[in-house]
Amino acid sequence: MKNSLIAITLAAGALLMQGCASKKQLVACQDENKKIQESLMGTKEQLAAANARTTSLEDQLKQQQRAYKSLQQSLDKSLSNASQNNVSIDKLVDQINESNRYIRHLTELKSKSDSLNMVLTNNLTRSLSKEELKDVDVQVLKGVVYISLNDNMLYKTGSYEISEQAGETLSKIAKIIKDYKDYDVLIEGNTDDVPISRENIRNNWDLSCLRASSVVQELQTRYGVEPKRLTAGGRGEYNPVSSNSTEAGRQRNRRTQIIITPKLDEFLELIGQAPDSE
């Protein structure tokens, strides 16, 4: 009897020690998993910034290639005119120099715009939390900043009303918009191709426009963005980024984009500075 009691006591002690060891291992695994998740999110942020920089550099290269082609065409045309009309070499050189100055001016403006876009994108990415980055995608395409927002985060289900959880994210985006006063902002609503018909919503055109309008009014009234900088527009189901044949694809297509671009009047002013073609 005594031996049995001792054996039971030893077995219970072994089980208790094993349980403690397992608990410590679980805690260690949880800590390690947390570190991996944090490292993964940091890598994602760095990748987003690197992708934006790569796209910007590609745009600059294409701009330089187009400028070179334009200069070559201008030179060929000038040489042809000189041959046909006996234009003096001095005038031809002046035309070439003027073209070069204009190309340099364009390149400087493009470089300045790209730099501002990179700073804007990096500032916005850093301001968003890891959870927010799951519902927000920031890209720079052809010199324009695109902020794509998931509709599940932004709106109440099946509605164009802004959800409470979207407030903090919109406030951060609004701060970036207000910091960059020389940029115009287009809010663009997009839907999937599933038909909708509700009170005051006839179809996906209506829904996309109403959602864009809701975001514009939120940025204006709640966060103080200057309304004359804002434009609301809807593209319905006709600007998909994925196939509507799957739920995952339809979810990607249901989005609202905040598109930040240099002011149009700056481009018009630039056009007015173009050298004479004659």
Side-chain angles (χ1 to χ4, degrees), residues 60-83:
Q60 290 182 47
L61 177 60
K62 291 178 181 178
Q63 174 74 17
Q64 292 293 335
Q65 290 172 338
R66 288 193 294 268
Y68 176 79
K69 183 177 180 181
S70 176
L71 178 59
Q72 186 64 50
Q73 291 173 345
S74 176
L75 178 59
D76 291 342
K77 182 178 179 181
S78 297
L79 288 172
S80 176
N81 291 337
S83 176

Side-chain angles (χ1 to χ4, degrees), residues 10-38:
L10 291 174
L15 289 173
L16 181 60
M17 292 177 65
Q18 183 178 0
C20 292
S22 298
K23 184 175 181 181
K24 290 180 179 179
Q25 291 174 350
L26 177 60
V27 171
C29 287
Q30 290 174 338
D31 291 341
E32 182 66 21
N33 183 59
K34 183 178 179 181
K35 292 178 181 178
I36 292 173
Q37 292 292 333
E38 292 175 349

Side-chain angles (χ1 to χ4, degrees), residues 174 177-178 185 219-221 223-230:
I177 292 173
K178 290 167 70 175
V185 183
L219 291 174
Q220 174 190 350
T221 59
Y223 301 111
V225 177
E226 200 172 5
K228 67 181 182 180
R229 298 176 57 197
L230 299 171

